Amino acid sequence: MQSLYDPFVLLFTAGFTFTGIWFVFKVISWFFGLSTTDRRLVTRGILTIKTWQALVEVVRESLFHRKIFKTGFRLGYMHMSLAFGWFMLILIGNIESTYYTSQLFKPIYVSVFWRFFDAGPSFPAAAWAPGFAFWMDLFLLFVLSGLTFAIIKRFMPKVVGMRRTTRHRLPDRLAIFSLWMIFPIRLLAESATCGANGTGSFLTGSIGSLMAAIVPVQSLVLPFWWAYSLVLGIFFLALPFTRYTHIPSEAVLIFFRRYGVRLSEQSPGYTNLSLNSCSSCGICIDACQISQADPSLLVQSTYFIRSLRYKTGCNGAEWACLQCGRCEDACPVGLELMPLRRLALPDAGIGTVLSPVAPRKSNGSHPRILYFAGCMTHLNPGIIQSMKLIFNASHALWSFFDADGQACCGRPLRLAGQADGADRQREKLEAEFLATGASLLVTSCPICYRIFKEEYALPGMRILHHSQYINELIEWKRLRIDKQAGSAAWHEPCELGRGCGVITEPRQVLQTIYQSDVTPTLKGLCCGGSLGAPGLDPVTRKAVALGAISQLTVHQPDYLVTGCPMCKKSFLPISPVPVVDIAEVTAAALVKEPKHSVNPETQRQVLVTIP
Amino acid sequence: MSTQEKFGFGMNEGRMLDLDLVDERLNDKLTQKVPSWRSCLRCGACVATCPVGIGMLGMATAAGINCRNRQVTASGNPVTVKNCLLCGKCQLVCPRGIQTRLMAIELMKEIQNHAIAV
């Protein structure tokens, strides 16, 4: 039997062993970096259906990259061909070598360099040989086609449907170059071997015979295999220091996530795992509105994660992210990018001293509905007046909770990383809400709505955004609406649509009120006024808002309708069409009922605010 | 006969603002981090809209940003800054578009780091 060893395999083996040891250490450190509860979640989850689900997800996402296909077909094909194609090469190579050597356990380099060891006369061509060679050639061609896309993408991202791609660090560039070299050199090495032995299939066989006709191919075999082993070795040696850590890390992340582990301050191991799982693919760059508003500002998640991972400092970028969540939505790895950002913000202890506001006294009535305007709504009095009209028109038993404008939901503090302050505001408000005994909480601010939904514990209390409430009233025929002429487009606030999944209700209201709904099909845009970015300058904010406006008004609506006082404030000064809140349009469209006369003064105010 | 007795009103003691004693260190530090702070007009719109009645201007004054040789000492008045809700109303009403939320966070960080204990 021919020897299954040659010195060139050492280069690959050294690199691979190094990465293997690194990975084992990392998995241990990730696991023990979890909090006790999270560790228990993992250990208890292993023997459940979740493991199988995670395995399916690993195949679906790590090999087939299904989520990237949603972003673009060519981009998805590029990622899939590299991941799935390479995996199949490894798998078929392994089966082939096991078939011929009849050894289940053998050094890993035997199957990696199988075509080299296979060449000798001691392995007579079996009936299977052409079959194996064909499939190996097919998948090699598959990988090479994806590689061509990858190389073109680096210089012309538009070819795969991306506007921009990540600017990489030097180690990443070295690793990407060695990755690019792996497959062409493999093709040359296999072709040379096949040419010398007269084996191989349509790809390696034909290139091999061509090479044999031109050059003394026998003398080229070993140099090519040395080169192949070298690039593999370099790639694996560089892997722990580059973005390619995502290859093994993402699988671990999927398992942990399936077992129910989530980002938290108590589990630094999971945070580190998340940082290692980012592939720097750059899909978040195109999703980010700032990359169009100010291309020089590298706040996108790929850069942010990199600065956290290599501890290079964020250079102010941590304060410039709008936290709209578009990147989180687009991330093919499914990283919790927004919580990750907030964990990285310094807690300066703001909001920890509660404001010296006198406790709200009950006026003796027991309202069923509590209206929470939110501080931003107080800058848009038209919304409050409209809500008053709507409540009265529907004969609701309601009470205005923050008429003094001095209650805070805590979300602005949360978005600025001031966790202690946010918790304290939440506790205070929770107690005050529950003391009223109301069964429904309606808020006009999506920012407040999100934290009420996500963090507040309000047993027995339904929480609605006013667009949902209006929709219910219309459905129950508690409001009578006059159909209005003209068309309207809905601007979906980040916190409401993407954040809380309130998508259909406002659209239904719009379709009831206006003759035509000309909302363009797009993923919710940020208005630029976001509370997430304390450090973003007004010029960039305006550029973000202008970009959003131009996309929203593409079908020339008569009105731009939104459900967020912040969005309204941001759009009003720059919008070519009137910007109105959904409560204001509803109030203006109400059928006037003489028997329930409304205060003429409030009605006048409402009408004044509606263009 | 004093002026008080003669005219029915008096004059205050002579007061002087000694510009040599003005400590601009905190102001400089914050201006570096939030350059737009330089354009503050001291108009007070932020104080008027603030739900807890401080406003950016109030916080800055409490921390003694402008004239440190007055009686505001050591840790400024962190309680006032800690009251801030970071709601961002001040930023929306600010005529100069100052990043007031970042300013509040940076100011609090400086107070915590005892950078202004002079």
Side-chain angles (χ1 to χ4, degrees):
Chain A
M1 195 179 206
Q2 189 190 344
S3 154
L4 289 177
Y5 173 76
D6 193 278
F8 75 77
V9 302
L10 287 178
L11 294 176
F12 157 77
T13 312
F16 189 77
T17 314
F18 176 72
T19 293
I21 294 170
W22 166 85
F23 184 59
V24 170
F25 270 105
K26 268 293 182 189
V27 172
I28 294 169
S29 82
W30 290 328
F31 181 73
F32 286 98
L34 297 178
S35 66
T36 327
T37 12
D38 284 346
R39 259 206 306 269
R40 206 171 294 146
L41 278 175
V42 174
T43 45
R44 287 190 183 163
I46 286 176
L47 288 177
T48 60
I49 187 84
K50 288 175 187 164
T51 305
W52 171 249
Q53 289 167 340
L55 209 61
V56 173
E57 194 182 333
V58 168
V59 173
R60 212 174 53 200
E61 297 304 337
S62 302
L63 290 184
F64 292 115
H65 291 86
R66 193 187 56 141
K67 278 188 201 151
I68 303 186
F69 270 102
K70 284 185 189 163
T71 311
F73 180 79
R74 270 168 291 180
L75 196 64
Y77 177 80
M78 181 204 115
H79 285 87
M80 184 188 80
S81 64
L82 283 171
F84 180 62
W86 199 3
F87 174 76
M88 287 311 283
L89 284 179
I90 296 167
L91 187 72
I92 299 175
N94 219 322
I95 295 173
E96 189 184 3
S97 58
T98 311
Y99 175 74
Y100 284 118
T101 56
S102 319
Q103 293 172 14
L104 204 54
F105 299 101
K106 53 195 172 307
I108 200 143
Y109 59 78
V110 174
S111 50
V112 172
F113 302 107
W114 177 248
R115 194 61 70 232
F116 176 81
F117 298 121
D118 177 33
S122 55
F123 296 101
W128 281 77
F132 279 126
F134 170 76
W135 286 108
M136 289 297 270
D137 272 15
L138 189 68
F139 280 108
L140 187 59
L141 187 67
F142 186 47
V143 173
L144 285 169
S145 67
L147 187 69
T148 317
F149 271 124
I151 295 172
I152 296 173
K153 176 197 163 210
R154 202 80 321 260
F155 304 104
M156 287 185 288
K158 282 202 179 74
V159 174
V160 288
M162 286 174 90
R163 274 194 293 262
R164 281 189 196 85
T165 187
T166 324
R167 289 185 220 163
H168 290 308
R169 301 153 53 246
L170 191 65
D172 283 327
R173 284 188 207 155
L174 189 76
I176 203 171
F177 186 69
S178 62
L179 180 67
W180 285 354
M181 295 313 290
I182 286 175
F183 299 100
I185 295 182
R186 179 183 175 130
L187 178 69
L188 287 177
E190 291 196 346
S191 299
T193 310
C194 293
N197 298 310
T199 53
S201 187
F202 66 94
L203 190 65
T204 49
S206 23
I207 296 179
S209 45
L210 196 70
M211 283 165 81
I214 306 168
V215 284
V217 78
Q218 194 65 49
S219 58
L220 285 175
V221 172
L222 258 182
F224 276 142
W225 284 105
W226 270 96
Y228 180 49
S229 182
L230 179 72
V231 285
L232 273 177
I234 292 175
F235 178 72
F236 280 113
L237 206 63
L239 187 139
F241 310 105
T242 60
R243 67 200 188 99
Y244 293 102
T245 47
H246 78 269
I247 298 172
S249 304
E250 191 187 342
V252 183
L253 181 87
I254 289 172
F255 276 94
F256 278 14
R257 193 166 55 202
R258 280 279 170 180
Y259 296 139
V261 182
R262 293 287 176 273
L263 264 188
S264 69
E265 219 170 338
Q266 290 79 37
S267 294
Y270 191 71
T271 312
N272 188 275
L273 174 60
S274 299
L275 297 181
N276 275 289
S277 299
C278 171
S279 61
S280 300
C281 62
I283 290 176
C284 51
I285 300 178
D286 277 349
C288 181
Q289 286 171 260
I290 291 182
S291 59
Q292 277 111 60
D294 184 357
S296 66
L297 208 56
L298 299 183
V299 299
Q300 290 79 19
S301 294
T302 172
Y303 299 116
F304 181 72
I305 285 185
R306 199 164 77 188
S307 63
L308 285 186
R309 193 178 149 184
Y310 301 108
K311 299 187 176 65
T312 48
C314 303
N315 229 341
E318 74 270 40
W319 296 120
C321 165
L322 294 160
Q323 294 195 36
C324 63
R326 279 171 68 89
C327 53
E328 198 173 58
D329 206 32
C331 179
V333 189
L335 295 174
E336 295 168 77
L337 296 172
M338 293 304 112
L340 197 63
R341 278 182 186 272
R342 292 201 276 279
L343 276 183
L345 296 177
D347 194 339
I350 298 186
T352 45
V353 174
L354 296 176
S355 53
V357 176
R360 289 175 185 77
K361 285 186 194 126
S362 163
N363 55 4
S365 70
H366 296 288
R368 211 180 67 78
I369 301 170
L370 212 54
Y371 176 56
F372 186 88
C375 52
M376 282 298 158
T377 316
H378 280 279
L379 286 178
N380 289 282
I383 302 177
I384 297 177
Q385 301 299 345
S386 308
M387 284 310 289
K388 283 181 179 169
L389 274 178
I390 292 167
F391 281 125
N392 292 336
S394 63
H395 317 303
L397 191 61
W398 70 288
S399 153
F400 193 175
F401 182 81
D402 61 336
D404 55 2
Q406 289 181 322
C408 179
C409 62
R411 178 90 182 151
L413 288 159
R414 172 77 69 219
L415 288 173
Q418 310 300 310
D420 288 350
D423 286 340
R424 224 165 272 204
Q425 294 295 334
R426 174 177 55 81
E427 283 158 19
K428 179 189 172 196
L429 218 54
E430 254 174 19
E432 286 191 33
F433 279 154
L434 290 175
T436 61
S439 57
L440 176 64
L441 176 64
V442 178
T443 176
S444 282
C445 177
I447 305 165
C448 306
Y449 176 66
R450 184 159 186 192
I451 196 169
F452 291 163
K453 282 288 260 195
E454 284 181 356
E455 297 185 21
Y456 277 51
L458 299 170
M461 198 182 268
R462 267 184 89 206
I463 303 158
L464 292 180
H465 180 250
H466 69 263
S467 62
Q468 292 173 300
Y469 179 66
I470 292 169
N471 187 44
E472 282 191 4
L473 289 179
I474 293 174
E475 276 180 5
W476 297 340
K477 309 231 181 314
R478 295 279 291 276
L479 287 183
R480 285 169 56 210
I481 300 287
D482 260 340
K483 196 93 174 168
Q484 304 286 302
S487 60
W490 169 247
H491 162 66
E492 185 185 284
C494 309
E495 300 274 52
L496 194 65
R498 200 173 17 253
C500 298
V502 180
I503 294 163
T504 52
E505 293 95 327
R507 298 286 295 275
Q508 281 172 10
V509 175
L510 273 204
Q511 283 152 12
T512 315
I513 295 176
Y514 286 106
Q515 271 172 348
S516 57
D517 173 8
V518 291
T519 310
T521 325
L522 37 83
K523 286 185 175 163
L525 291 163
C526 179
C527 64
S530 164
L531 283 175
L536 199 64
D537 61 287
V539 181
T540 317
R541 278 181 187 277
K542 198 175 168 188
V544 170
L546 280 171
I549 282 277
S550 65
Q551 290 186 58
L552 286 163
T553 54
V554 68
H555 299 313
Q556 274 124 22
D558 295 324
Y559 298 100
L560 183 59
V561 184
T562 181
C564 175
M566 177 74 101
C567 301
K568 192 187 159 196
K569 271 272 177 222
S570 312
F571 283 153
L572 258 181
I574 53 165
S575 171
V577 294
V579 186
V580 281
D581 190 273
I582 196 159
E584 292 171 316
V585 295
T586 313
L590 284 180
V591 176
K592 307 292 178 293
E593 287 179 77
K595 58 175 179 174
H596 301 292
S597 63
V598 203
N599 177 2
E601 178 58 22
T602 31
Q603 198 169 13
R604 196 187 59 77
Q605 283 177 352
V606 170
L607 293 175
V608 164
T609 57
I610 297 176
Chain B
M1 193 184 250
S2 71
T3 50
Q4 177 86 41
E5 287 163 35
K6 197 172 172 185
F7 302 109
F9 58 87
M11 289 173 79
N12 284 333
E13 286 291 309
R15 284 198 290 185
M16 187 174 65
L17 190 64
D18 190 343
L19 291 176
D20 289 341
L21 290 178
V22 171
D23 185 350
E24 291 269 348
R25 275 180 296 172
L26 178 65
N27 198 19
D28 289 348
K29 229 173 182 175
L30 288 170
T31 315
Q32 240 178 22
K33 286 182 173 161
V34 191
S36 54
W37 169 245
R38 203 179 286 128
S39 62
C40 177
L41 296 165
R42 314 305 197 249
C43 69
C46 50
V47 189
T49 195
C50 182
V52 285
I54 325 162
M56 190 57 244
L57 195 57
M59 276 192 257
T61 313
I65 274 190
N66 304 315
C67 282
R68 290 301 320 288
N69 59 341
R70 298 240 182 107
Q71 288 306 305
V72 190
T73 47
S75 56
N77 191 351
V79 171
T80 324
V81 186
K82 278 186 177 176
N83 276 340
C84 174
L85 301 166
L86 288 179
C87 70
K89 279 171 87 176
C90 43
Q91 195 158 329
L92 272 188
V93 299
C94 180
R96 307 308 290 263
I98 297 168
Q99 291 116 307
T100 51
R101 296 178 74 232
L102 182 63
M103 184 74 185
I105 295 166
E106 294 293 351
L107 178 59
M108 191 65 208
K109 270 170 32 188
E110 291 301 324
I111 290 173
Q112 276 186 341
N113 296 341
H114 305 291
I116 61 164
V118 180

